[in-house]
Short mmCIF file of all heavy atoms in Angstrom, two decimals:
data_model
loop_
_atom_site.label_atom_id
_atom_site.label_comp_id
_atom_site.label_asym_id
_atom_site.label_seq_id
_atom_site.Cartn_x
_atom_site.Cartn_y
_atom_site.Cartn_z
N GLU A 1 96.10 115.99 101.84
CA GLU A 1 96.44 117.24 102.52
C GLU A 1 96.25 118.38 101.54
O GLU A 1 96.75 118.35 100.41
CB GLU A 1 97.88 117.21 103.01
CG GLU A 1 98.24 118.45 103.80
CD GLU A 1 99.66 118.40 104.34
OE1 GLU A 1 100.11 117.32 104.74
OE2 GLU A 1 100.30 119.46 104.33
N ILE A 2 95.50 119.39 101.95
CA ILE A 2 95.17 120.49 101.04
C ILE A 2 96.19 121.61 101.17
O ILE A 2 96.42 122.14 102.25
CB ILE A 2 93.75 121.01 101.32
CG1 ILE A 2 92.76 119.90 100.97
CG2 ILE A 2 93.47 122.29 100.54
CD1 ILE A 2 91.36 120.18 101.34
N GLN A 3 96.82 121.91 100.04
CA GLN A 3 97.74 123.04 99.93
C GLN A 3 97.37 123.75 98.63
O GLN A 3 97.73 123.31 97.55
CB GLN A 3 99.19 122.59 99.92
CG GLN A 3 99.60 121.93 101.23
CD GLN A 3 101.02 121.42 101.20
OE1 GLN A 3 101.53 120.98 100.17
NE2 GLN A 3 101.67 121.46 102.35
N THR A 4 96.63 124.86 98.76
CA THR A 4 96.10 125.51 97.56
C THR A 4 97.19 126.00 96.63
O THR A 4 97.00 125.96 95.41
CB THR A 4 95.16 126.67 97.94
OG1 THR A 4 95.85 127.62 98.74
CG2 THR A 4 93.92 126.16 98.67
N ALA A 5 98.32 126.43 97.15
CA ALA A 5 99.41 126.89 96.28
C ALA A 5 99.89 125.76 95.38
O ALA A 5 100.06 125.93 94.16
CB ALA A 5 100.55 127.46 97.11
N ASP A 6 100.10 124.58 95.96
CA ASP A 6 100.54 123.43 95.17
C ASP A 6 99.46 122.98 94.19
O ASP A 6 99.76 122.61 93.05
CB ASP A 6 100.93 122.27 96.09
CG ASP A 6 102.19 122.56 96.89
OD1 ASP A 6 102.93 123.50 96.53
OD2 ASP A 6 102.43 121.84 97.89
N LEU A 7 98.21 123.00 94.63
CA LEU A 7 97.11 122.63 93.73
C LEU A 7 97.01 123.60 92.56
O LEU A 7 96.77 123.18 91.43
CB LEU A 7 95.78 122.58 94.49
CG LEU A 7 95.60 121.39 95.44
CD1 LEU A 7 94.36 121.58 96.30
CD2 LEU A 7 95.53 120.08 94.67
N CYS A 8 97.22 124.88 92.83
CA CYS A 8 97.22 125.88 91.74
C CYS A 8 98.34 125.61 90.75
O CYS A 8 98.13 125.66 89.54
CB CYS A 8 97.38 127.29 92.30
SG CYS A 8 95.87 128.03 92.88
N ASP A 9 99.54 125.33 91.27
CA ASP A 9 100.69 125.08 90.40
C ASP A 9 100.46 123.86 89.52
O ASP A 9 100.78 123.87 88.33
CB ASP A 9 101.96 124.87 91.23
CG ASP A 9 102.44 126.13 91.92
OD1 ASP A 9 101.91 127.22 91.61
OD2 ASP A 9 103.33 126.02 92.78
N ALA A 10 99.89 122.80 90.10
CA ALA A 10 99.71 121.55 89.36
C ALA A 10 98.49 121.57 88.44
O ALA A 10 98.38 120.73 87.55
CB ALA A 10 99.59 120.39 90.35
N ASN A 11 97.57 122.51 88.68
CA ASN A 11 96.31 122.52 87.92
C ASN A 11 95.96 123.93 87.45
O ASN A 11 94.79 124.30 87.42
CB ASN A 11 95.17 122.00 88.80
CG ASN A 11 95.42 120.60 89.31
OD1 ASN A 11 95.16 119.63 88.62
ND2 ASN A 11 95.92 120.49 90.53
N GLU A 12 96.96 124.69 87.07
CA GLU A 12 96.78 126.12 86.79
C GLU A 12 95.66 126.43 85.81
O GLU A 12 94.91 127.40 85.98
CB GLU A 12 98.09 126.72 86.28
CG GLU A 12 98.07 128.22 86.20
CD GLU A 12 99.45 128.79 85.91
OE1 GLU A 12 100.45 128.06 86.01
OE2 GLU A 12 99.50 129.98 85.58
N ASP A 13 95.49 125.61 84.80
CA ASP A 13 94.47 125.88 83.79
C ASP A 13 93.07 125.40 84.21
O ASP A 13 92.10 125.63 83.49
CB ASP A 13 94.85 125.22 82.46
CG ASP A 13 95.05 123.72 82.58
OD1 ASP A 13 95.32 123.22 83.69
OD2 ASP A 13 94.91 123.03 81.55
N ARG A 14 92.97 124.76 85.37
CA ARG A 14 91.69 124.18 85.81
C ARG A 14 91.08 124.88 87.02
O ARG A 14 90.00 124.48 87.46
CB ARG A 14 91.89 122.71 86.17
CG ARG A 14 92.32 121.85 85.00
CD ARG A 14 92.53 120.40 85.41
NE ARG A 14 91.39 119.87 86.13
CZ ARG A 14 91.49 118.92 87.05
NH1 ARG A 14 92.65 118.40 87.36
NH2 ARG A 14 90.40 118.47 87.67
N VAL A 15 91.76 125.88 87.60
CA VAL A 15 91.27 126.47 88.84
C VAL A 15 90.94 127.95 88.68
O VAL A 15 91.51 128.64 87.84
CB VAL A 15 92.27 126.31 90.01
CG1 VAL A 15 92.53 124.85 90.30
CG2 VAL A 15 93.56 127.04 89.76
N ARG A 16 90.02 128.40 89.51
CA ARG A 16 89.72 129.82 89.66
C ARG A 16 90.04 130.16 91.11
O ARG A 16 89.76 129.37 92.02
CB ARG A 16 88.24 130.08 89.34
CG ARG A 16 87.92 129.80 87.87
CD ARG A 16 86.44 129.93 87.53
NE ARG A 16 85.49 129.31 88.43
CZ ARG A 16 85.17 128.02 88.47
NH1 ARG A 16 85.76 127.18 87.64
NH2 ARG A 16 84.27 127.56 89.31
N VAL A 17 90.63 131.33 91.32
CA VAL A 17 91.09 131.72 92.65
C VAL A 17 90.23 132.88 93.16
O VAL A 17 90.10 133.91 92.50
CB VAL A 17 92.58 132.14 92.62
CG1 VAL A 17 93.04 132.56 94.00
CG2 VAL A 17 93.44 131.00 92.07
N LEU A 18 89.67 132.70 94.34
CA LEU A 18 88.88 133.75 94.97
C LEU A 18 89.78 134.91 95.36
O LEU A 18 90.88 134.71 95.88
CB LEU A 18 88.18 133.21 96.22
CG LEU A 18 87.24 134.17 96.93
CD1 LEU A 18 85.96 134.37 96.11
CD2 LEU A 18 86.89 133.65 98.31
N GLU A 19 89.31 136.13 95.11
CA GLU A 19 90.07 137.31 95.55
C GLU A 19 90.30 137.20 97.06
O GLU A 19 89.45 136.68 97.78
CB GLU A 19 89.27 138.57 95.24
CG GLU A 19 89.09 138.82 93.76
CD GLU A 19 88.09 139.92 93.45
OE1 GLU A 19 87.54 140.56 94.38
OE2 GLU A 19 87.82 140.13 92.26
N PRO A 20 91.44 137.70 97.56
CA PRO A 20 91.73 137.59 99.00
C PRO A 20 90.85 138.55 99.81
O PRO A 20 91.23 139.68 100.10
CB PRO A 20 93.21 137.95 99.09
CG PRO A 20 93.48 138.76 97.87
CD PRO A 20 92.54 138.30 96.82
N MET A 21 89.67 138.07 100.16
CA MET A 21 88.69 138.91 100.83
C MET A 21 88.08 138.28 102.08
O MET A 21 87.44 138.95 102.86
CB MET A 21 87.57 139.26 99.85
CG MET A 21 86.90 138.03 99.26
SD MET A 21 85.85 138.36 97.84
CE MET A 21 84.41 138.98 98.61
N LEU A 22 88.28 136.98 102.26
CA LEU A 22 87.68 136.27 103.38
C LEU A 22 88.75 135.86 104.39
O LEU A 22 89.88 135.58 104.02
CB LEU A 22 86.94 135.02 102.90
CG LEU A 22 85.86 135.21 101.84
CD1 LEU A 22 85.23 133.87 101.48
CD2 LEU A 22 84.79 136.18 102.31
N ALA A 23 88.36 135.81 105.65
CA ALA A 23 89.25 135.37 106.72
C ALA A 23 88.81 133.98 107.20
O ALA A 23 87.64 133.63 107.11
CB ALA A 23 89.23 136.36 107.87
N SER A 24 89.76 133.23 107.73
CA SER A 24 89.49 131.90 108.26
C SER A 24 89.12 132.00 109.73
O SER A 24 89.83 132.63 110.51
CB SER A 24 90.72 131.01 108.09
OG SER A 24 90.49 129.74 108.66
N TYR A 25 88.01 131.36 110.11
CA TYR A 25 87.55 131.40 111.50
C TYR A 25 87.37 130.01 112.12
O TYR A 25 87.24 129.90 113.33
CB TYR A 25 86.21 132.14 111.59
CG TYR A 25 86.33 133.61 111.26
CD1 TYR A 25 86.01 134.09 109.99
CD2 TYR A 25 86.78 134.52 112.20
CE1 TYR A 25 86.12 135.43 109.68
CE2 TYR A 25 86.90 135.87 111.90
CZ TYR A 25 86.57 136.31 110.64
OH TYR A 25 86.68 137.64 110.32
N GLY A 26 87.33 128.97 111.33
CA GLY A 26 87.07 127.63 111.84
C GLY A 26 88.29 126.97 112.43
O GLY A 26 89.42 127.42 112.26
N GLY A 27 88.05 125.86 113.10
CA GLY A 27 89.13 125.07 113.67
C GLY A 27 89.93 124.32 112.63
O GLY A 27 91.09 123.99 112.85
N LEU A 28 89.33 124.04 111.47
CA LEU A 28 90.07 123.45 110.36
C LEU A 28 90.57 124.57 109.47
O LEU A 28 89.77 125.34 108.94
CB LEU A 28 89.16 122.54 109.52
CG LEU A 28 88.81 121.17 110.02
CD1 LEU A 28 87.95 120.43 109.00
CD2 LEU A 28 90.05 120.37 110.35
#
């Protein structure tokens, strides 16, 4: 199950975060 906040917390030194600029349109 994907939860980006939890993934960021657990892997803070390994991730890059996209600026909040895109909206979600898909069914997933």
Side-chain angles (χ1 to χ4, degrees):
E1 184 178 322
I2 294 173
Q3 296 177 327
T4 58
D6 291 344
L7 287 170
C8 277
D9 291 350
N11 301 277
E12 190 170 347
D13 58 337
R14 297 178 52 209
V15 299
R16 295 175 314 280
V17 180
L18 184 72
E19 294 169 3
M21 56 193 282
L22 304 179
S24 177
Y25 293 98
L28 283 182

